[in-house]
Amino acid sequence: DCFVLSRGDSFMPNGTQKPNRAQKPTQAAAIATEDESHGYIWIEGEAAQANTVTPHVWYRSVAKDLLSGGDLIAHWDARHAGEAQYAFNVSEATDYTLWVRACPMRANLSYKIDSGEYQSVPMTEPIGTMTISIDGKPDPRVLAWLKAGISSLAKGAHTISFKMYGD
């Protein structure tokens, strides 16, 4: 669905929306946005600059109003992992905490920043787990906030890549 890089404790996951946003963002707002006053960078998952994902048909029929940007990126291909890459800018060199809103069930997700090594996103402590099925009934199509890690980032341009593969 989305991910957030936050300075210090400036962001705490809560629901589907960017903090201090009264309404859903438009598709034009689905690019990386930095909110200087609140200390975070918000990026919509569906706004990858490049990807090799095989869309998962099952995720076409979800409650789009429960997604931060009205859509998501999902991958399913038993033969290979899907990857997605995003570009963003950092205005202040400091430590950033990466939060990812993704499915924590039977999924494997890893990330790397710039040319670093891939790191696994821990699925053990999901926050705000929410079913996104159209009928709202219990379903494995859920999203939750996951604290992925902390990275020291220099001021300037960066990339983040995600690798998705399932059981």
Side-chain angles (χ1 to χ4, degrees):
D1 182 37
C2 60
F3 57 96
V4 175
L5 290 150
S6 66
R7 291 193 299 260
D9 295 328
S10 62
F11 175 80
M12 185 55 157
N14 183 14
T16 64
Q17 299 299 298
K18 289 182 187 179
N20 308 307
R21 179 177 285 282
Q23 57 191 1
K24 297 268 186 207
T26 63
Q27 282 301 91
I31 57 172
T33 55
E34 183 166 2
D35 185 327
E36 289 289 336
S37 62
H38 295 98
Y40 65 83
I41 301 166
W42 182 287
I43 303 173
E44 293 297 334
E46 65 273 17
Q49 276 78 30
N51 76 68
T52 60
V53 301
T54 302
H56 195 303
V57 177
W58 204 33
Y59 279 92
R60 289 186 190 151
S61 59
V62 297
K64 303 279 185 168
D65 61 321
L66 297 177
L67 305 174
S68 62
D71 208 351
L72 52 72
I73 190 167
H75 171 76
W76 181 256
D77 188 325
R79 297 168 296 177
H80 68 84
E83 294 186 56
Q85 184 177 39
Y86 307 82
F88 64 97
N89 286 298
V90 167
S91 62
E92 178 184 330
T94 191
D95 288 345
Y96 284 80
T97 302
L98 174 61
W99 291 93
V100 180
R101 188 163 184 253
C103 179
M105 299 176 60
R106 297 185 60 202
N108 291 297
L109 181 64
S110 58
Y111 73 96
K112 70 175 182 174
I113 296 178
D114 300 323
S115 59
E117 297 293 321
Y118 274 102
Q119 307 289 320
S120 292
V121 174
M123 302 286 175
T124 54
E125 296 182 34
I127 297 172
T129 303
M130 179 182 295
T131 299
I132 58 171
S133 62
I134 290 175
D135 60 13
K137 293 180 180 175
D139 187 306
R141 290 175 290 184
V142 299
L143 293 177
W145 285 103
L146 304 161
K147 187 175 184 178
I150 299 173
S151 297
S152 290
L153 298 176
K155 181 177 179 177
H158 294 274
T159 60
I160 186 167
S161 300
F162 288 92
K163 189 182 290 188
M164 302 162 252
Y165 41 100
D167 289 344

